[in-house]
Coordinates of all heavy atoms in Angstrom, one line a residue:
M1 N -14.7 -6.2 4.0 CA -13.6 -6.4 3.2 C -12.8 -5.1 3.1 O -13.3 -4.0 2.9 CB -14.1 -6.7 1.8 CG -13.0 -6.9 0.7 SD -12.1 -8.4 0.8 CE -13.4 -9.6 0.4
V2 N -11.5 -5.2 3.3 CA -10.5 -4.1 3.3 C -9.9 -4.1 1.9 O -9.4 -5.1 1.5 CB -9.5 -4.2 4.4 CG1 -8.5 -3.0 4.3 CG2 -10.2 -4.1 5.8
V3 N -9.9 -3.0 1.2 CA -9.2 -2.9 -0.1 C -8.1 -1.8 0.0 O -8.4 -0.6 0.3 CB -10.2 -2.5 -1.2 CG1 -9.5 -2.4 -2.6 CG2 -11.4 -3.6 -1.3
I4 N -6.9 -2.2 -0.3 CA -5.8 -1.3 -0.3 C -5.2 -1.2 -1.7 O -5.0 -2.3 -2.3 CB -4.7 -1.8 0.7 CG1 -5.3 -2.0 2.1 CG2 -3.5 -0.8 0.7 CD1 -4.3 -2.7 3.0
T5 N -5.0 0.0 -2.2 CA -4.5 0.2 -3.5 C -3.2 1.1 -3.5 O -3.2 2.1 -2.8 CB -5.5 0.8 -4.4 OG1 -6.7 0.0 -4.4 CG2 -5.0 0.9 -5.9
L6 N -2.2 0.6 -4.2 CA -0.9 1.4 -4.3 C -0.6 1.7 -5.7 O -0.6 0.8 -6.5 CB 0.2 0.6 -3.6 CG 1.6 1.1 -3.8 CD1 1.9 2.3 -3.0 CD2 2.6 0.0 -3.5
Q7 N -0.4 2.9 -6.0 CA 0.0 3.3 -7.4 C 1.6 3.4 -7.4 O 2.2 4.5 -7.2 CB -0.6 4.7 -7.8 CG -0.5 5.0 -9.2 CD -1.3 6.2 -9.6 OE1 -1.9 6.8 -8.8 NE2 -1.2 6.6 -10.9
R8 N 2.2 2.2 -7.5 CA 3.6 2.1 -7.2 C 4.5 2.9 -8.1 O 5.6 3.4 -7.6 CB 4.0 0.6 -7.4 CG 5.3 0.2 -7.0 CD 5.6 -1.3 -7.0 NE 6.8 -1.6 -6.4 CZ 8.0 -1.4 -7.0 NH1 8.0 -1.1 -8.3 NH2 9.1 -1.7 -6.4
Q9 N 4.2 3.2 -9.3 CA 5.2 3.9 -10.2 C 5.4 5.3 -9.7 O 6.4 5.9 -10.0 CB 4.7 3.9 -11.6 CG 3.4 4.5 -11.9 CD 2.7 3.9 -13.1 OE1 2.6 2.7 -13.2 NE2 2.1 4.8 -13.9
K10 N 4.5 5.9 -8.9 CA 4.6 7.2 -8.4 C 5.3 7.3 -7.0 O 5.5 8.4 -6.5 CB 3.3 7.9 -8.4 CG 2.7 8.2 -9.7 CD 1.4 9.0 -9.7 CE 0.9 9.3 -11.1 NZ -0.3 10.1 -11.0
C11 N 5.7 6.1 -6.5 CA 6.3 6.1 -5.2 C 7.6 6.8 -5.2 O 8.4 6.6 -6.1 CB 6.5 4.6 -4.8 SG 7.3 4.4 -3.2
I12 N 7.9 7.5 -4.1 CA 9.2 8.2 -4.0 C 10.1 7.6 -3.0 O 11.2 8.1 -2.8 CB 9.0 9.7 -3.6 CG1 8.3 9.9 -2.3 CG2 8.2 10.5 -4.8 CD1 8.2 11.3 -1.7
G13 N 9.7 6.5 -2.4 CA 10.6 5.7 -1.5 C 10.8 6.3 -0.2 O 11.9 6.1 0.4
C14 N 9.8 7.0 0.4 CA 10.0 7.7 1.7 C 10.0 6.7 2.8 O 10.5 7.0 3.9 CB 8.9 8.7 1.9 SG 7.3 8.1 2.2
N15 N 9.4 5.5 2.7 CA 9.4 4.4 3.7 C 8.3 4.6 4.8 O 8.3 3.8 5.7 CB 10.8 4.3 4.3 CG 11.0 2.9 4.8 OD1 10.6 1.9 4.2 ND2 11.6 2.8 6.0
Y16 N 7.5 5.6 4.7 CA 6.5 5.8 5.8 C 5.5 4.7 5.8 O 5.1 4.2 6.9 CB 5.7 7.1 5.6 CG 6.5 8.4 5.8 CD1 6.2 9.5 5.1 CD2 7.5 8.5 6.8 CE1 6.9 10.7 5.3 CE2 8.2 9.6 7.0 CZ 7.9 10.7 6.3 OH 8.6 11.9 6.5
C17 N 5.1 4.2 4.7 CA 4.1 3.1 4.7 C 4.7 1.8 5.3 O 4.0 1.1 6.1 CB 3.7 2.8 3.3 SG 5.0 2.3 2.1
V18 N 6.0 1.6 5.1 CA 6.6 0.4 5.7 C 6.7 0.5 7.3 O 6.4 -0.4 8.0 CB 8.0 0.1 5.1 CG1 8.7 -1.0 5.8 CG2 7.9 -0.1 3.6
E19 N 7.0 1.7 7.7 CA 7.1 2.0 9.1 C 5.8 1.9 9.8 O 5.7 1.4 10.9 CB 7.7 3.4 9.4 CG 9.1 3.5 9.0 CD 9.7 4.9 9.2 OE1 9.1 5.7 10.0 OE2 10.7 5.2 8.5
L20 N 4.7 2.3 9.2 CA 3.4 2.4 9.8 C 2.6 1.1 9.6 O 1.7 0.7 10.4 CB 2.6 3.5 9.3 CG 3.1 4.9 9.7 CD1 2.5 6.0 8.9 CD2 3.0 5.1 11.1
A21 N 2.8 0.4 8.5 CA 2.1 -0.9 8.2 C 3.0 -1.9 7.6 O 2.9 -2.3 6.4 CB 1.0 -0.6 7.2
P22 N 4.0 -2.4 8.4 CA 5.0 -3.4 7.9 C 4.3 -4.7 7.5 O 5.0 -5.5 6.7 CB 5.9 -3.6 9.1 CG 5.2 -3.2 10.3 CD 4.2 -2.1 9.8
E23 N 3.1 -5.0 8.0 CA 2.5 -6.3 7.6 C 1.9 -6.2 6.1 O 1.6 -7.2 5.5 CB 1.4 -6.7 8.6 CG 0.3 -5.7 8.8 CD 0.6 -4.6 9.7 OE1 1.6 -4.6 10.4 OE2 -0.2 -3.6 9.7
Q24 N 1.8 -5.0 5.6 CA 1.2 -4.8 4.3 C 2.3 -4.3 3.3 O 2.1 -4.6 2.1 CB 0.1 -3.8 4.3 CG -1.2 -4.3 4.8 CD -1.6 -3.6 6.1 OE1 -1.1 -2.6 6.4 NE2 -2.5 -4.2 6.8
F25 N 3.3 -3.6 3.7 CA 4.2 -2.9 2.8 C 5.7 -3.3 3.1 O 6.0 -3.6 4.3 CB 4.1 -1.4 2.9 CG 2.8 -0.9 2.5 CD1 1.8 -0.6 3.4 CD2 2.5 -0.6 1.2 CE1 0.6 -0.1 3.1 CE2 1.3 -0.1 0.8 CZ 0.3 0.2 1.8
Q26 N 6.5 -3.3 2.1 CA 8.0 -3.4 2.3 C 8.6 -2.7 1.1 O 8.0 -2.4 0.1 CB 8.4 -4.9 2.4 CG 8.4 -5.7 1.1 CD 8.9 -7.1 1.4 OE1 8.3 -8.0 0.9 NE2 10.0 -7.3 2.0
M27 N 9.9 -2.3 1.3 CA 10.6 -1.6 0.2 C 11.3 -2.6 -0.7 O 11.9 -3.6 -0.2 CB 11.6 -0.7 0.9 CG 11.0 0.4 1.7 SD 9.7 1.4 0.9 CE 10.7 2.4 -0.2
S28 N 11.3 -2.3 -2.0 CA 12.0 -3.2 -2.9 C 13.5 -2.9 -2.9 O 13.9 -1.7 -2.9 CB 11.4 -2.9 -4.3 OG 12.2 -3.5 -5.3
K29 N 14.3 -3.9 -2.9 CA 15.7 -3.7 -2.9 C 16.2 -3.3 -4.4 O 17.2 -2.8 -4.5 CB 16.4 -5.0 -2.5 CG 16.2 -5.2 -1.0 CD 16.9 -6.4 -0.5 CE 16.7 -6.6 1.0 NZ 17.2 -7.8 1.5
K30 N 15.3 -3.6 -5.3 CA 15.7 -3.4 -6.7 C 15.6 -1.9 -7.1 O 16.5 -1.3 -7.7 CB 14.8 -4.1 -7.7 CG 15.1 -5.6 -7.7 CD 14.2 -6.3 -8.7 CE 14.4 -7.8 -8.8 NZ 13.6 -8.5 -9.7
D31 N 14.5 -1.2 -6.7 CA 14.3 0.1 -7.1 C 14.0 1.1 -6.0 O 13.8 2.3 -6.2 CB 13.2 0.2 -8.2 CG 11.8 -0.2 -7.7 OD1 11.7 -0.5 -6.5 OD2 10.9 -0.3 -8.6
G32 N 13.9 0.6 -4.7 CA 13.7 1.5 -3.6 C 12.3 2.0 -3.4 O 12.0 2.9 -2.7
K33 N 11.3 1.4 -4.1 CA 9.9 1.8 -4.0 C 9.2 0.8 -3.2 O 9.6 -0.3 -3.0 CB 9.3 1.9 -5.4 CG 9.9 3.0 -6.3 CD 9.2 3.1 -7.6 CE 9.8 4.3 -8.4 NZ 8.9 4.5 -9.6
S34 N 8.0 1.2 -2.7 CA 7.2 0.4 -1.9 C 6.5 -0.7 -2.6 O 6.2 -0.6 -3.8 CB 6.1 1.3 -1.3 OG 5.2 0.5 -0.5
V35 N 6.3 -1.8 -2.0 CA 5.7 -3.0 -2.5 C 4.5 -3.3 -1.6 O 4.7 -3.5 -0.4 CB 6.6 -4.2 -2.6 CG1 5.9 -5.5 -3.1 CG2 7.8 -3.9 -3.5
L36 N 3.3 -3.5 -2.1 CA 2.1 -3.9 -1.4 C 2.1 -5.4 -1.4 O 2.0 -6.0 -2.5 CB 0.9 -3.3 -2.0 CG -0.5 -3.7 -1.3 CD1 -0.5 -3.3 0.2 CD2 -1.6 -3.0 -2.0
L37 N 2.3 -6.0 -0.3 CA 2.5 -7.5 -0.2 C 1.2 -8.2 -0.5 O 0.1 -7.8 -0.2 CB 2.9 -7.9 1.2 CG 4.3 -7.3 1.7 CD1 4.5 -7.6 3.1 CD2 5.4 -7.8 0.8
N38 N 1.3 -9.3 -1.3 CA 0.2 -10.2 -1.7 C -0.8 -9.4 -2.5 O -2.0 -9.8 -2.5 CB -0.5 -10.8 -0.4 CG 0.4 -11.6 0.4 OD1 1.2 -12.4 -0.1 ND2 0.4 -11.3 1.7
A39 N -0.4 -8.5 -3.3 CA -1.3 -7.7 -4.1 C -1.3 -8.2 -5.6 O -0.3 -8.8 -6.0 CB -0.9 -6.2 -4.1
T40 N -2.3 -7.8 -6.3 CA -2.4 -8.1 -7.7 C -2.1 -6.8 -8.4 O -2.5 -5.7 -7.9 CB -3.8 -8.7 -8.1 OG1 -4.8 -7.7 -7.7 CG2 -4.0 -10.0 -7.5
D41 N -1.5 -6.9 -9.6 CA -1.1 -5.7 -10.3 C -2.0 -5.6 -11.6 O -2.0 -6.5 -12.3 CB 0.4 -5.7 -10.7 CG 0.8 -4.6 -11.6 OD1 0.1 -3.5 -11.6 OD2 1.9 -4.7 -12.2
K42 N -2.6 -4.4 -11.7 CA -3.4 -4.2 -12.9 C -3.1 -2.8 -13.4 O -3.5 -1.8 -12.7 CB -4.9 -4.4 -12.6 CG -5.7 -4.8 -13.8 CD -7.1 -5.1 -13.3 CE -7.5 -6.5 -13.7 NZ -8.9 -6.8 -13.5
K43 N -2.3 -2.7 -14.5 CA -2.0 -1.4 -15.1 C -1.4 -0.4 -14.1 O -1.7 0.8 -14.1 CB -3.2 -0.8 -15.7 CG -3.8 -1.6 -16.9 CD -5.0 -0.9 -17.6 CE -5.5 -1.8 -18.7 NZ -6.6 -1.3 -19.4
G44 N -0.5 -0.9 -13.3 CA 0.3 0.0 -12.4 C -0.4 0.2 -11.0 O 0.2 0.8 -10.2
F45 N -1.6 -0.3 -10.9 CA -2.3 -0.2 -9.6 C -2.2 -1.6 -8.9 O -2.7 -2.6 -9.4 CB -3.7 0.2 -9.8 CG -3.9 1.6 -10.2 CD1 -3.8 2.0 -11.5 CD2 -4.1 2.6 -9.3 CE1 -4.0 3.3 -11.9 CE2 -4.2 3.9 -9.6 CZ -4.1 4.3 -11.0
H46 N -1.5 -1.6 -7.7 CA -1.4 -2.9 -7.0 C -2.5 -2.9 -5.9 O -2.6 -1.9 -5.1 CB 0.0 -2.9 -6.4 CG 1.1 -2.9 -7.4 ND1 1.8 -4.0 -7.7 CD2 1.6 -1.9 -8.2 CE1 2.6 -3.8 -8.7 NE2 2.5 -2.5 -8.9
T47 N -3.3 -3.9 -5.9 CA -4.5 -4.0 -5.1 C -4.5 -5.2 -4.2 O -4.2 -6.3 -4.7 CB -5.8 -4.0 -5.9 OG1 -5.7 -2.8 -6.7 CG2 -7.0 -3.9 -5.0
L48 N -4.8 -5.0 -2.9 CA -4.9 -6.1 -1.9 C -6.3 -6.1 -1.4 O -6.8 -5.0 -0.9 CB -3.9 -5.9 -0.8 CG -4.1 -6.9 0.4 CD1 -3.8 -8.3 0.0 CD2 -3.2 -6.4 1.6
K49 N -7.0 -7.2 -1.5 CA -8.4 -7.3 -0.9 C -8.3 -8.3 0.2 O -7.8 -9.5 0.0 CB -9.4 -7.8 -2.0 CG -9.6 -6.7 -3.1 CD -10.5 -7.2 -4.1 CE -10.7 -6.2 -5.2 NZ -11.6 -6.6 -6.3
S50 N -8.7 -8.0 1.4 CA -8.6 -8.8 2.5 C -9.9 -8.7 3.4 O -10.3 -7.6 3.6 CB -7.4 -8.5 3.4 OG -7.3 -9.3 4.5
P51 N -10.3 -9.9 3.9 CA -11.5 -9.8 4.9 C -11.0 -9.4 6.3 O -11.9 -9.3 7.2 CB -12.0 -11.2 4.8 CG -10.8 -12.1 4.4 CD -10.0 -11.2 3.6
D52 N -9.7 -9.3 6.5 CA -9.2 -9.0 7.8 C -9.2 -7.5 8.1 O -8.4 -6.8 7.7 CB -7.7 -9.5 7.9 CG -7.1 -9.4 9.2 OD1 -7.8 -8.9 10.2 OD2 -5.9 -9.7 9.4
H53 N -10.2 -7.1 8.9 CA -10.4 -5.7 9.3 C -9.3 -5.2 10.2 O -9.2 -4.0 10.4 CB -11.8 -5.5 9.8 CG -12.8 -5.5 8.7 ND1 -13.2 -4.4 8.0 CD2 -13.6 -6.5 8.2 CE1 -14.1 -4.7 7.1 NE2 -14.3 -6.0 7.2
S54 N -8.5 -6.0 10.8 CA -7.5 -5.6 11.7 C -6.4 -4.8 10.9 O -5.6 -4.1 11.5 CB -6.9 -6.7 12.5 OG -6.1 -7.6 11.6
L55 N -6.3 -5.0 9.6 CA -5.4 -4.3 8.7 C -5.7 -2.8 8.6 O -4.8 -2.0 8.3 CB -5.3 -4.9 7.3 CG -5.0 -6.4 7.2 CD1 -5.1 -6.8 5.7 CD2 -3.6 -6.7 7.8
L56 N -7.0 -2.5 8.8 CA -7.5 -1.1 8.5 C -6.7 0.0 9.2 O -6.3 1.0 8.5 CB -9.0 -1.1 8.8 CG -9.8 0.0 8.2 CD1 -9.6 0.0 6.7 CD2 -11.2 -0.1 8.6
P57 N -6.6 0.0 10.5 CA -5.9 1.2 11.2 C -4.5 1.5 10.6 O -4.2 2.7 10.4 CB -5.9 0.8 12.6 CG -6.9 -0.3 12.8 CD -7.0 -1.0 11.5
N58 N -3.7 0.5 10.5 CA -2.3 0.7 10.0 C -2.3 1.2 8.6 O -1.5 2.0 8.2 CB -1.4 -0.5 10.2 CG -1.1 -0.7 11.7 OD1 -1.4 0.1 12.5 ND2 -0.6 -1.9 12.0
A59 N -3.2 0.5 7.8 CA -3.2 0.9 6.3 C -3.7 2.3 6.2 O -3.2 3.1 5.3 CB -4.1 -0.1 5.6
E60 N -4.7 2.8 7.0 CA -5.2 4.1 6.9 C -4.1 5.1 7.4 O -3.9 6.2 6.8 CB -6.4 4.3 7.8 CG -7.6 3.7 7.1 CD -8.9 3.8 8.0 OE1 -8.8 3.8 9.2 OE2 -10.0 3.8 7.4
A61 N -3.3 4.7 8.4 CA -2.2 5.6 8.8 C -1.1 5.7 7.7 O -0.6 6.8 7.5 CB -1.6 5.0 10.1
A62 N -0.8 4.6 7.0 CA 0.1 4.7 6.0 C -0.4 5.6 4.8 O 0.4 6.4 4.3 CB 0.4 3.3 5.4
A63 N -1.7 5.5 4.5 CA -2.2 6.3 3.4 C -2.2 7.8 3.8 O -1.9 8.6 3.0 CB -3.7 5.9 3.2
A64 N -2.5 8.1 5.1 CA -2.5 9.5 5.5 C -1.0 10.0 5.5 O -0.8 11.2 5.3 CB -3.1 9.6 6.9
A65 N -0.1 9.2 5.8 CA 1.3 9.7 5.9 C 2.0 9.8 4.6 O 3.0 10.5 4.5 CB 2.1 8.7 6.8
C66 N 1.5 9.1 3.6 CA 2.2 9.1 2.2 C 2.2 10.6 1.7 O 1.2 11.2 1.4 CB 1.4 8.2 1.3 SG 2.1 8.1 -0.4
P67 N 3.4 11.1 1.4 CA 3.5 12.5 0.9 C 3.0 12.7 -0.5 O 2.7 13.8 -0.9 CB 5.0 12.8 1.1 CG 5.7 11.5 1.0 CD 4.7 10.5 1.7
V68 N 3.0 11.6 -1.3 CA 2.5 11.7 -2.7 C 1.1 11.2 -2.9 O 0.6 11.1 -4.0 CB 3.5 11.1 -3.7 CG1 4.8 12.0 -3.8 CG2 3.9 9.7 -3.3
K69 N 0.5 10.7 -1.8 CA -0.9 10.3 -1.7 C -1.2 9.2 -2.8 O -2.2 9.3 -3.6 CB -1.9 11.5 -1.9 CG -1.7 12.6 -0.9 CD -1.9 12.1 0.5 CE -1.7 13.1 1.5 NZ -1.4 12.6 2.8
I70 N -0.4 8.2 -2.8 CA -0.6 7.1 -3.8 C -1.2 5.8 -3.2 O -1.3 4.8 -3.9 CB 0.7 6.7 -4.5 CG1 1.8 6.3 -3.5 CG2 1.2 7.9 -5.4 CD1 3.0 5.7 -4.1
I71 N -1.6 5.9 -1.9 CA -2.2 4.8 -1.2 C -3.6 5.1 -0.9 O -3.9 6.1 -0.3 CB -1.4 4.4 0.1 CG1 0.0 4.1 -0.2 CG2 -2.1 3.3 0.8 CD1 0.9 4.1 1.1
K72 N -4.5 4.2 -1.3 CA -5.9 4.4 -1.1 C -6.4 3.2 -0.2 O -6.0 2.1 -0.5 CB -6.7 4.5 -2.4 CG -6.3 5.6 -3.3 CD -6.5 6.9 -2.8 CE -6.0 8.0 -3.8 NZ -5.6 9.2 -3.2
V73 N -7.2 3.5 0.7 CA -7.8 2.4 1.6 C -9.3 2.5 1.7 O -9.8 3.6 1.9 CB -7.2 2.5 3.0 CG1 -7.7 1.4 3.9 CG2 -5.7 2.4 3.0
K74 N -10.0 1.4 1.4 CA -11.5 1.4 1.5 C -11.9 0.3 2.4 O -11.3 -0.8 2.4 CB -12.1 1.2 0.1 CG -11.9 2.3 -0.8 CD -12.5 2.0 -2.1 CE -12.1 2.9 -3.3 NZ -12.6 2.5 -4.5
D75 N -13.0 0.5 3.1 CA -13.6 -0.5 4.0 C -15.0 -0.8 3.3 O -15.9 0.0 3.5 CB -13.7 -0.1 5.4 CG -14.2 -1.2 6.3 OD1 -14.4 -2.3 5.9 OD2 -14.5 -0.8 7.5
V76 N -15.1 -1.9 2.6 CA -16.3 -2.1 1.9 C -17.0 -3.4 2.4 O -16.5 -4.2 3.0 CB -16.1 -2.3 0.3 CG1 -15.7 -1.0 -0.3 CG2 -15.1 -3.4 0.1

């Protein structure tokens, strides 16, 4: 199971996550911040749980590139 978490309110809108993992992230036209697609929101933490391990390399690249380190990726 791959678990991706985004702390959206701290996003600065740099767009790195969208460039590196477009199947998981896109930018909001409303506020210019990243959106984790198909995620559930709990107190500002947007979480996606997926059994698809092919998401892992791009999600890890997006987390590593994030300048404010608000993306966490776990392989559980």
